[in-house]
Amino acid sequence: MGKKEQINNEKHKDIERVQAVLQLLKKQAPLSVKQEKLCNNACVERFLKVKGENVKKAAKHLRNCLNWRDSLGIDHLIADEFSAELAEGVAYVSGHDDESRPVLIFRIKQDYQKFHSQKLFTRLLVFTLEVAIQTMAKSVEQFVILFDASFFRSASAFMNILLASLKIIADYYPGRLHKAFVIDPPSLFSYLWKGVKTFVDLAPLTMVVSSLDFEESLEFNDFTAYPRAASLRFNPSSISSNGKIGSCSSSRFSFTVSHHFDSVKPWYLSLTDTSSAKVGPTTNTGPAISPLNARSYSFASPIDRTPRGNNNMGPMKKGFFPSTPLPQKSKDMADHSEIHHPRAMRPSFFQSPAMFFKKDGGKGHTISRVDKCRESFQPFLKFYRRPYDEMIYRSKMRPPLGGLISIVSPHIRRRHMSASQRF
């Protein structure tokens, strides 16, 4: 019963604070119908939370927000004012995430500020935020913003747009931002952001990510996904040769592959003049091989030098790897369970003393900030790559934001007309 009483007391105190803020607002100036609709309990609670439950500061902040909305004419914003921006997909609502939060995308080009004023950009930003708020469910209060900075070459130009946007959201939409992602910024942006983010209120919610980290081809460790890389790798089966295991010679040296498992040197070179020698079969036993094939397997890793499909290894010294017999094609290659590979060294039982000072007790590795940003951006990657459709975005707008089409079309009732009345 004690916990329930505490919860009830806290709710009662929250309601009293909200009523106190509304009373202060009405003492300063009477509220219009639209302002009273805007200043509901959820809105006042967000302002109180930002101001540390201080009633006077929250009332002052809310009054400044109402005055700013009146000066900007937010109640009269319509989509017809931004027809060019809507056609190009400069700013729009891409969809909703798993928790029904709207995801906003801003793809502003660097030349936008040259041909448009700062006030017009502010009106476009506010219009997009208002559309996102209209699409929210009753239980949702926050949204996610994706800033696509790939169209910017100047880091300072994009920084001006980003700081202006974050300041407007922090001052006039407090508690609304869930996360903000800056995607593919210019190269110098990270240095400017490090020096500026300490003075930005929403900096803890802003993350910088790169779209190159989420390429599908980079998620696989398979060379078949890279045609160029796959073509550069040596494929022994691609070279057809009738040569057998034996000595390979040229005008400067001769190359011989050893046939003995116990040999420490699987190959040796002799610098004798063998210009009269011919590269060809010297023995009639063993698999086919070319000089290039022999050299590649001679310098291969210990695992690749292990004979495959042959279990009769014979007596072998414990400290040496098996030498370089060439892989034999046999029926036993299909059974991979019988292939014996050199055993890898297991970690020592005694761990390093530094492992005991880790936060996770040495059971895992600490996640860097870059990895956290990647994991946070992963659910919103589909919205970033989703193509823009103006009609779908316009369908999310409610009157009066949707413009004349959304205002007139629901109220038009076409009467049935005969063919004689139409002409």
Side-chain angles (χ1 to χ4, degrees), residues 366-373:
T366 56
I367 302 176
S368 62
R369 179 174 177 82
V370 178
D371 295 336
K372 289 182 180 179
C373 295

mmCIF file of all heavy atoms in Angstrom, residues 366-373:
data_model
loop_
_atom_site.group_PDB
_atom_site.id
_atom_site.type_symbol
_atom_site.label_atom_id
_atom_site.label_comp_id
_atom_site.label_asym_id
_atom_site.label_seq_id
_atom_site.Cartn_x
_atom_site.Cartn_y
_atom_site.Cartn_z
ATOM 1 N N THR A 366 34.404 -4.129 -24.219
ATOM 2 C CA THR A 366 33.640 -2.903 -24.137
ATOM 3 C C THR A 366 33.293 -2.415 -25.535
ATOM 4 O O THR A 366 34.096 -2.505 -26.456
ATOM 5 C CB THR A 366 34.453 -1.837 -23.390
ATOM 6 O OG1 THR A 366 35.717 -1.660 -24.057
ATOM 7 C CG2 THR A 366 34.703 -2.270 -21.951
ATOM 8 N N ILE A 367 32.093 -1.887 -25.695
ATOM 9 C CA ILE A 367 31.613 -1.423 -26.989
ATOM 10 C C ILE A 367 32.020 0.030 -27.155
ATOM 11 O O ILE A 367 31.782 0.864 -26.273
ATOM 12 C CB ILE A 367 30.087 -1.575 -27.090
ATOM 13 C CG1 ILE A 367 29.690 -3.037 -26.868
ATOM 14 C CG2 ILE A 367 29.577 -1.100 -28.442
ATOM 15 C CD1 ILE A 367 28.199 -3.263 -26.851
ATOM 16 N N SER A 368 32.640 0.357 -28.254
ATOM 17 C CA SER A 368 33.083 1.712 -28.512
ATOM 18 C C SER A 368 31.887 2.576 -28.885
ATOM 19 O O SER A 368 30.787 2.096 -29.149
ATOM 20 C CB SER A 368 34.118 1.723 -29.626
ATOM 21 O OG SER A 368 33.561 1.238 -30.832
ATOM 22 N N ARG A 369 32.116 3.889 -28.950
ATOM 23 C CA ARG A 369 31.042 4.807 -29.292
ATOM 24 C C ARG A 369 30.617 4.633 -30.742
ATOM 25 O O ARG A 369 29.430 4.785 -31.070
ATOM 26 C CB ARG A 369 31.502 6.243 -29.038
ATOM 27 C CG ARG A 369 30.452 7.279 -29.384
ATOM 28 C CD ARG A 369 30.874 8.676 -28.982
ATOM 29 N NE ARG A 369 29.894 9.666 -29.384
ATOM 30 C CZ ARG A 369 28.789 9.946 -28.711
ATOM 31 N NH1 ARG A 369 28.533 9.274 -27.591
ATOM 32 N NH2 ARG A 369 27.942 10.859 -29.140
ATOM 33 N N VAL A 370 31.572 4.311 -31.611
ATOM 34 C CA VAL A 370 31.231 4.106 -33.021
ATOM 35 C C VAL A 370 30.298 2.915 -33.175
ATOM 36 O O VAL A 370 29.314 2.958 -33.933
ATOM 37 C CB VAL A 370 32.512 3.918 -33.852
ATOM 38 C CG1 VAL A 370 32.171 3.656 -35.316
ATOM 39 C CG2 VAL A 370 33.419 5.136 -33.723
ATOM 40 N N ASP A 371 30.575 1.828 -32.446
ATOM 41 C CA ASP A 371 29.706 0.656 -32.514
ATOM 42 C C ASP A 371 28.318 0.954 -31.947
ATOM 43 O O ASP A 371 27.304 0.453 -32.453
ATOM 44 C CB ASP A 371 30.330 -0.512 -31.756
ATOM 45 C CG ASP A 371 31.624 -0.973 -32.403
ATOM 46 O OD1 ASP A 371 31.795 -0.742 -33.613
ATOM 47 O OD2 ASP A 371 32.475 -1.553 -31.694
ATOM 48 N N LYS A 372 28.254 1.773 -30.904
ATOM 49 C CA LYS A 372 26.955 2.144 -30.344
ATOM 50 C C LYS A 372 26.144 2.950 -31.349
ATOM 51 O O LYS A 372 24.934 2.761 -31.473
ATOM 52 C CB LYS A 372 27.152 2.944 -29.056
ATOM 53 C CG LYS A 372 27.661 2.120 -27.879
ATOM 54 C CD LYS A 372 27.788 2.981 -26.639
ATOM 55 C CE LYS A 372 28.286 2.159 -25.453
ATOM 56 N NZ LYS A 372 28.438 2.993 -24.237
ATOM 57 N N CYS A 373 26.828 3.859 -32.050
ATOM 58 C CA CYS A 373 26.126 4.660 -33.059
ATOM 59 C C CYS A 373 25.610 3.772 -34.185
ATOM 60 O O CYS A 373 24.490 3.965 -34.687
ATOM 61 C CB CYS A 373 27.051 5.741 -33.605
ATOM 62 S SG CYS A 373 27.547 6.994 -32.395
#
